[in-house]
């Protein structure tokens, strides 16, 4: 199979138009780090990578906006912004190799989701190429842009099945003056949940609040049910955290950075150890988080202040047990990562309300038909 690497958005749009006009199926990719994510990837005649589109198009530090091409490595973008004391407030997995377009197309996020949101909250505009070879601009370069329908939002999480993202405009944030991590380890889940609840009822606003199972914590050189909180701000702000979170194990500097990198990259590390492993994403209310976690025996990372829990299992038999529990409790559940065979043969999404599920997929099919009536992408 050919893999084409255009150097400009116009070249990419032209390639798509040419091959689509010949009814050739197309796969769009960045650096292919998330090939186990999403639905089953069908075989295609042509693959087109955005790897040649890796330039900064516009950067206005004082306006807290930046526009970059989709093939730029996310790690390179963050390094560039860090020189000005700024960042894209996303910390997705595969961060060292993933491209900007790939992260947006897969709607990837990490622990900072608790404080900053997801790509939908940070992307303010983009350009994408349709199968007709048209470059469509959506949104803009201002943080608040409410003029008209922002079609770019449809591309976030679309996995390249609607159009090819060629550039993305982001809202950027200042890097915290300092960051510090507070760890609380407990032999039982009940005390860990109680600590989470205490923090959520307080005035503290951590960047991240994750709850790790013992099987996860041990991979990060810790023991027990670990409540991990990350705070950022001035020395005075962190002094308040020190007082209110007295008794915590403190991590700062390189230890702080390495700990959260370990959490961020837990999924890639798990998949490298267990190539046939499965990652489930289960969404619950905050009050149902403990109900879910009590049913789990293996590794998990729970975004305990968002109600999103990532569960790691070695086979579909283990995943199916969790799936049945989620269906019973009406918790929305997604197969986040799995082998092609699992994604081909198993149910990948559980939406509790049957009518809502049907309506969602009907709408998605209509959108797919609007952009790609021949199902070439």
């Amino acid at each position: 199979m050919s893999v084409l690497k255009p150097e400009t958005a116009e070249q990419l749009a032209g390639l798509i138009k040419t091959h689509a006009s010949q009814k050739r199926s197309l796969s769009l990719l960045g650096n292919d780090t998330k090939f186990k994510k999403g639905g089953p990837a069908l075989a295609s005649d042509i693959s087109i990578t955005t790897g040649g589109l890796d330039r900064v198009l516009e950067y206005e530090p004082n306006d807290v906006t930046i526009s970059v091409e989709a093939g730029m490595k996310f790690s390179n973008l963050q390094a560039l912004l860090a020189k000005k004391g700024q960042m894209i407030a996303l910390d997705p997995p595969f961060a060292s190799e993933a491209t900007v377009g790939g992260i947006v197309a897969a709607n990837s996020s990490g622990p900072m989701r608790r404080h900053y949101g997801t790509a939908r909250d940070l992307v303010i505009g983009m350009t994408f190429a349709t199968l007709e070879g048209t470059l469509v601009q959506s949104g803009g370069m201002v943080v608040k842009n409410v003029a008209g329908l922002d079609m770019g939002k449809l591309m976030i999480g679309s996995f390249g099945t609607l159009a090819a993202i060629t550039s993305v405009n982001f809202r950027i944030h200042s890097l915290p003056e300092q960051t510090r991590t507070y760890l609380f380890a407990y032999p039982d889940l009940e005390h860990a949940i109680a600590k989470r609840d205490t923090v959520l009822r307080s005035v503290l606003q951590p960047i991240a609040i994750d709850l790790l199972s013992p099987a996860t914590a041990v991979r990060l050189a810790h023991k027990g049910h670990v409540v991990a909180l990350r705070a950022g701000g001035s020395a005075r702000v962190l002094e308040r955290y020190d007082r209110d979170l007295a008794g915590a194990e403190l991590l700062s500097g390189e230890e702080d950075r390495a700990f959260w990198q370990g959490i961020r990259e837990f999924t890639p590390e798990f998949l490298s150890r267990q190539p046939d492993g499965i990652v489930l994403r289960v969404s619950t209310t905050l009050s149902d988080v403990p109900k879910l976690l009590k049913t789990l025996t293996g590794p998990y990372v729970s975004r305990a202040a968002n109600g999103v829990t990532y569960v790691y299992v070695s086979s579909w038999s283990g995943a199916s047990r969790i799936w049945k529990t989620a269906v019973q409790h009406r918790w929305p559940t997604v197969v986040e990562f799995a082998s092609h065979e699992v994604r081909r043969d198993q149910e990948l999404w559980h939406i509790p309300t049957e009518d809502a599920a049907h309506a969602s997929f009907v709408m998605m099919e209509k959108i797919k038909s609007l952009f790609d009536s021949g199902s070439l992408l």
Side-chain angles (χ1 to χ4, degrees):
M1 180 178 63
S2 301
V3 179
L4 306 178
K5 188 177 180 180
E7 298 295 325
T8 67
E10 289 75 17
Q11 287 180 12
L12 187 151
L15 285 172
I16 289 177
K17 180 180 181 180
T18 296
H19 292 291
S21 68
Q22 297 170 6
K23 304 301 179 184
R24 293 179 177 175
S25 57
L26 299 164
S27 294
L28 304 173
L29 60 141
N31 213 14
D32 208 21
T33 57
K34 290 172 281 296
F35 63 94
K36 291 185 176 182
K37 189 177 184 183
L42 304 180
S44 62
D45 300 318
I46 302 291
S47 282
I48 300 178
T49 174
T50 59
L53 281 65
D54 61 355
R55 291 165 285 271
V56 175
L57 301 177
E58 187 176 346
Y59 179 26
E60 298 293 342
N62 294 331
D63 293 337
V64 294
T65 58
I66 191 168
S67 178
V68 298
E69 289 185 315
M72 187 175 194
K73 280 190 177 182
F74 188 70
S75 55
N76 292 345
L77 173 57
Q78 293 287 50
L80 171 70
L81 292 171
K83 294 177 181 179
K84 294 286 188 179
Q86 297 177 320
M87 66 175 178
I88 305 295
L90 280 173
D91 50 351
F94 304 95
S96 63
E97 295 300 319
T99 62
V100 167
I103 288 169
V104 171
N107 196 22
S108 291
S109 63
M112 288 199 301
R113 169 181 179 157
R114 178 271 186 294
H115 191 70
Y116 296 102
T118 66
R120 295 185 187 279
D121 303 291
L122 301 172
V123 172
I124 59 175
M126 70 171 64
T127 301
F128 56 87
T130 68
L131 286 174
E132 291 75 29
T134 303
L135 286 170
V136 178
Q137 292 185 332
S138 179
M141 279 294 288
V142 294
V143 172
K144 290 187 178 181
N145 191 322
V146 295
L149 174 64
D150 186 358
M151 295 181 68
K153 296 294 186 185
L154 295 174
M155 304 300 146
I156 301 174
S158 69
F159 287 87
T161 61
L162 300 179
I165 299 172
T166 61
S167 65
V168 184
N169 307 340
F170 288 103
R171 172 190 181 186
I172 55 183
H173 288 79
S174 297
L175 285 167
E177 187 177 323
Q178 301 177 56
T179 57
R180 191 172 298 163
T181 294
Y182 301 81
L183 302 179
F184 296 89
Y186 300 98
D188 57 83
L189 178 62
E190 287 74 12
H191 282 87
I193 291 294
K195 173 55 70 174
R196 179 208 68 164
D197 292 344
T198 298
V199 173
L200 292 181
R201 288 193 298 264
S202 74
V203 298
L204 301 179
Q205 293 294 324
I207 295 172
I209 306 176
D210 278 7
L211 201 162
L212 315 179
S213 70
T216 301
V218 73
R219 304 288 309 182
L220 300 172
H222 293 274
K223 294 182 179 180
H225 299 266
V226 175
V227 181
L229 302 98
R230 196 182 201 192
S234 65
R236 187 172 180 180
V237 167
L238 295 183
E239 287 173 3
R240 173 63 186 266
Y241 278 89
D242 290 347
R243 292 195 304 270
D244 289 6
L245 300 177
E249 178 185 353
L250 301 182
L251 303 179
S252 59
E254 178 57 25
E255 286 186 326
D256 165 77
R257 186 203 65 79
F259 178 82
W260 289 100
Q261 178 177 314
I263 293 180
R264 184 193 72 206
E265 299 299 327
F266 192 84
T267 291
E269 193 268 339
F270 169 80
L271 294 174
S272 70
R273 287 187 290 109
Q274 300 197 40
D276 294 325
I278 297 165
V279 183
L280 300 178
R281 187 181 81 234
V282 186
S283 300
T284 69
T285 62
L286 293 184
S287 60
D288 270 1
V289 168
K291 189 180 297 183
L292 166 65
L293 301 189
K294 286 176 182 177
T295 70
L296 305 176
T297 57
Y300 61 74
V301 176
S302 181
R303 305 267 114 89
N306 298 90
V308 177
T309 298
Y310 296 88
V311 187
Y312 301 85
V313 290
S314 59
S315 66
W316 183 252
S317 61
S320 63
R321 179 185 62 81
I322 299 167
W323 191 274
K324 290 176 183 176
T325 300
V327 171
Q328 177 185 351
H329 290 282
R330 302 174 65 81
W331 294 327
T333 303
V334 175
V335 176
E336 185 89 345
F337 289 91
S339 67
H340 172 74
E341 290 72 24
V342 167
R343 290 181 291 134
R344 180 193 62 199
D345 299 336
Q346 304 297 337
E347 186 177 3
L348 303 181
W349 295 273
H350 167 60
I351 302 175
T353 305
E354 187 173 338
D355 289 345
H358 176 73
S360 296
F361 281 100
V362 167
M363 179 59 69
M364 284 187 276
E365 288 172 348
K366 288 181 178 179
I367 293 171
K368 173 68 171 175
S369 179
L370 177 66
F371 281 90
D372 180 16
S373 58
S375 294
L376 298 178
L377 291 172

